[in-house]
Amino acid sequence: MKLYNTMTQQVEQFVPLEPGKVKIYTCGPTVYNYAHIGNLRTYVSEDILVRSLRFLGYEVIRAMNVTDVGHLESDADEGEDKMLKGARRERKTVWQIADYYTDVFFQDMEKLHLQKPDIVMRATDQIDEYIEFIQVLQDKGYAYQAGGNIYYDVSKFPDYTKLSRMPLENLQHGSRGEVSLDENKRNPYDFALWFTKSKFDDQEMKWDSPFGRGYPGWHLECSVISLKALGEQLDIHCGGVDHISTHHTNEIAQTESYTGRKWVNYWWHAEFLITDEGRMSKSKGGFLSLSRLQELGYDPMDYKYFLLGSHYRKQLMFSDEGMDSARTAYQKLKERTLALEEAIETEAYLDQFKAALADDLNTANALTLLYAVLKDDSLKSGEKRYIIQQMDTVLGLDLFREKEHDLDVETIERLIAERNAAKSEKNWARADEIRQQLIDMGISIMDGKDGTTWKVN
Ligand code: AMP
Ligand code: ZN
């Protein structure tokens, strides 16, 4: 297996710490809103990584956090808490917001046939571990207290910028390039480990600690959860490219200060999904969630097919035309795979398929091979089915599931009528709930001038 390693900026031969076993950590979602389809692109790419390693014979264990506390609007510890923003927007408690969007995130993963990480931990469940971690950093002289908060002192960590390779003075903090204005910091690149005071004192989530009642800084959770779930060293750490310059840089500094040794062997980063207005992002609003895409008449698998056509390390431009042609191609592909006869075992094509995956996850080549199998007249229909079934254990395109034909039309129409009644009473929450219920049944609804129409995904 060859993988690009952000730390060395090269495609490298992958060698695990322990032969045959791979330990992977993935930065999880911040659950204050729906994941957008850009976030989901990263999770799809990570799923291909994990499934490819498994297909190539590795035993993989993967852990992921769920960020339900501490992530401020800017990655450089500035601005309001994201969870609190979500709670205000929806007039709910932060805990309700976290539970709701965590559930929706895992539903989205299921719709895209993504394997759930083997270990999932919520940031709010690790408070004792954060306290211990911070105390060790204090004892070792990496952390200081100022203005009621505890900060990590980046000047104490040699090679702080080794991942991004940006000179400190150029280091762009946060995805939007801002540098922290917090006057308590000894230098602007220091980052918070624990807050007891911030400009936003209405923070709902607070815990008692030896440093005062407060809450953890955002970066802490990934270090602590990864140590707890996977031990002191990791094979692969994953995330989107926006995390390179701040979040992962800070994760490395604090984790290696804590353990006193190298932490991660391969840093793996997925590129952005962009639109003609730039990077898709939650804070900009107007983003597309997977449910919204379904309402627009696309199947989650259409989107996945769209993604697999390009490499995870290239930016991908989202467009209606791109989605339409992915939908057409995917539906045709599925018609062809469903028409294949009963599987007959063969080794044909599988080495080439493995080679495409082992080439830094070349999913576009993997798809090309899949079409080559369909076209190959020297193969029996059943052999084609066997090979493509094997391929689909990695691609996860659900190529052999028949559509359910026994539709319960009466229930669908009753739900649509109920939703319309809820809408006319301005009960948006109920209307959304019903729409979600229909989506879960595999039904998309379209509101038009002449009322609501529906179709099977
Ligand atoms: P968040 O929920 O904001 O913490 O982000 C979840 C994951 O999505 C992280 O790994 C981000 O790096 C990634 N991400 C954020 N924006 C995009 C985007 N436009 N395209 C692809 N991945 C993204
Ligand atoms: Zn992280």
Side-chain angles (χ1 to χ4, degrees):
M1 177 65 134
K2 285 197 168 126
L3 287 176
Y4 182 82
N5 184 354
T6 309
M7 185 62 91
T8 59
Q9 300 189 356
Q10 273 169 16
V11 175
E12 289 180 15
Q13 189 64 41
F14 173 70
V15 184
L17 289 159
E18 200 183 319
K21 297 198 171 154
V22 189
K23 292 196 279 183
I24 302 188
Y25 183 80
T26 303
C27 289
T30 309
V31 286
Y32 72 112
N33 207 333
Y34 295 99
H36 58 63
I37 56 171
N39 300 131
L40 294 172
R41 180 189 184 200
T42 292
Y43 294 103
V44 167
S45 302
E46 289 166 351
D47 187 66
I48 294 287
L49 169 67
V50 171
R51 286 175 182 248
S52 296
L53 287 164
R54 290 190 169 137
F55 194 69
L56 294 170
Y58 291 100
E59 191 185 309
V60 180
I61 173 155
R62 177 186 182 204
M64 185 177 85
N65 65 309
V66 173
T67 300
D68 55 359
V69 66
H71 198 168
L72 305 189
E73 276 176 293
S74 131
D75 292 353
D77 297 341
E78 291 290 326
E80 203 176 356
D81 180 277
K82 292 190 180 189
M83 296 301 299
L84 198 58
K85 253 182 88 176
R88 284 229 188 85
R89 186 185 62 228
E90 298 180 26
R91 292 164 208 260
K92 291 189 178 141
T93 68
V94 281
W95 301 99
Q96 286 168 326
I97 291 289
D99 283 348
Y100 177 75
Y101 288 110
T102 304
D103 286 351
V104 177
F105 176 77
F106 286 112
Q107 283 163 21
D108 283 353
M109 278 189 93
E110 268 176 38
K111 288 184 200 168
L112 287 163
H113 299 296
L114 308 184
Q115 294 178 343
K116 194 171 177 178
D118 309 283
I119 302 170
V120 175
M121 294 189 191
R122 286 153 58 118
T124 45
D125 287 337
Q126 324 299 328
I127 303 299
D128 291 345
E129 287 83 348
Y130 301 147
I131 293 171
E132 187 268 346
F133 190 96
I134 295 170
Q135 283 173 329
V136 170
L137 293 187
Q138 280 182 319
D139 292 346
K140 291 187 166 191
Y142 290 104
Y144 62 92
Q145 194 149 12
N149 300 331
I150 311 279
Y151 297 95
Y152 180 93
D153 183 347
V154 303
S155 70
K156 297 276 162 61
F157 189 70
D159 245 358
Y160 172 66
T161 57
K162 64 185 170 188
L163 183 65
S164 68
R165 299 196 185 187
M166 288 188 212
L168 199 50
E169 56 278 18
N170 294 0
L171 192 68
Q172 298 227 308
H173 267 229
S175 43
R176 276 165 262 129
E178 66 282 79
V179 165
S180 174
L181 304 170
D182 183 344
E183 286 161 7
N184 294 317
K185 294 183 180 180
R186 288 185 189 158
N187 73 69
Y189 309 106
D190 291 353
F191 54 92
L193 297 166
W194 190 266
F195 290 103
T196 68
K197 292 210 166 47
S198 86
K199 280 176 262 174
F200 302 97
D201 267 346
D202 43 1
Q203 171 72 16
E204 267 182 62
M205 290 172 156
K206 284 192 175 178
W207 294 266
D208 289 327
S209 87
F211 332 111
R213 193 169 167 74
Y215 58 101
W218 170 45
H219 313 293
L220 206 52
E221 63 188 79
C222 289
S223 297
V224 166
I225 290 175
S226 140
L227 289 173
K228 187 167 163 180
L230 302 169
E232 285 201 355
Q233 286 193 299
L234 286 181
D235 291 295
I236 306 175
H237 190 309
C238 303
V241 287
D242 53 325
H243 286 340
I244 297 171
S245 64
T246 307
H247 181 50
H248 291 166
T249 290
N250 292 347
E251 281 186 28
I252 294 171
Q254 64 194 8
T255 311
E256 296 191 352
S257 305
Y258 177 87
T259 62
R261 64 200 286 203
K262 182 179 175 188
W263 176 36
V264 174
N265 280 339
Y266 300 86
W267 282 92
W268 181 102
H269 290 102
E271 256 296 350
F272 286 147
L273 182 77
I274 55 173
T275 65
D276 43 17
E277 288 165 20
R279 167 189 167 194
M280 190 172 282
S281 103
K282 282 186 211 172
S283 52
K284 270 199 236 158
F287 62 78
L288 278 175
S289 64
L290 191 61
S291 304
R292 183 74 196 119
L293 212 57
Q294 290 180 285
E295 280 169 11
L296 295 169
Y298 298 108
D299 186 294
M301 288 300 106
D302 299 338
Y303 179 57
K304 193 160 176 188
Y305 184 91
F306 170 74
L307 295 178
L308 297 186
S310 55
H311 195 252
Y312 77 95
R313 278 198 294 120
K314 292 218 171 76
Q315 287 198 343
L316 177 60
M317 174 68 84
F318 181 82
S319 68
D320 295 345
E321 302 78 57
M323 274 304 295
D324 287 345
S325 51
R327 175 170 54 191
T328 310
Y330 175 71
Q331 305 298 345
K332 274 199 196 137
L333 173 61
K334 191 150 174 178
E335 274 168 30
R336 292 172 77 185
T337 51
L338 281 174
L340 294 171
E341 287 162 21
E342 210 177 309
I344 304 172
E345 230 176 292
T346 168
E347 286 301 304
Y349 280 92
L350 291 175
D351 282 347
Q352 281 162 276
F353 181 68
K354 284 183 183 162
L357 302 173
D359 176 19
D360 194 22
L361 310 172
N362 196 331
T363 51
N365 277 358
L367 277 180
T368 306
L369 279 168
L370 194 157
Y371 281 103
V373 171
L374 284 171
K375 261 204 233 141
D376 189 337
D377 293 335
S378 70
L379 291 170
K380 296 197 188 90
S381 173
E383 289 175 326
K384 294 183 185 184
R385 175 179 282 254
Y386 178 81
I387 301 166
I388 296 174
Q389 274 174 344
Q390 295 291 306
M391 292 176 161
D392 208 30
T393 61
V394 178
L395 302 174
L397 281 170
D398 204 17
L399 290 172
F400 293 95
R401 189 170 54 103
E402 305 266 1
K403 283 237 184 281
E404 289 90 30
H405 291 295
D406 45 345
L407 278 178
D408 184 355
V409 176
E410 210 176 296
T411 307
I412 295 169
E413 299 202 325
R414 180 179 51 77
L415 284 170
I416 290 177
E418 258 182 57
R419 177 171 169 269
N420 286 339
K423 276 170 67 180
S424 58
E425 288 160 17
K426 299 203 173 357
N427 186 350
W428 309 118
R430 176 69 188 139
D432 280 350
E433 202 175 275
I434 297 173
R435 191 198 59 197
Q436 186 60 46
Q437 203 176 332
L438 286 161
I439 287 173
D440 293 343
M441 291 165 65
I443 304 297
S444 294
I445 47 177
M446 279 84 56
D447 292 321
K449 281 199 300 291
D450 308 318
T452 306
T453 52
W454 59 271
K455 68 183 236 354
V456 184
N457 284 332

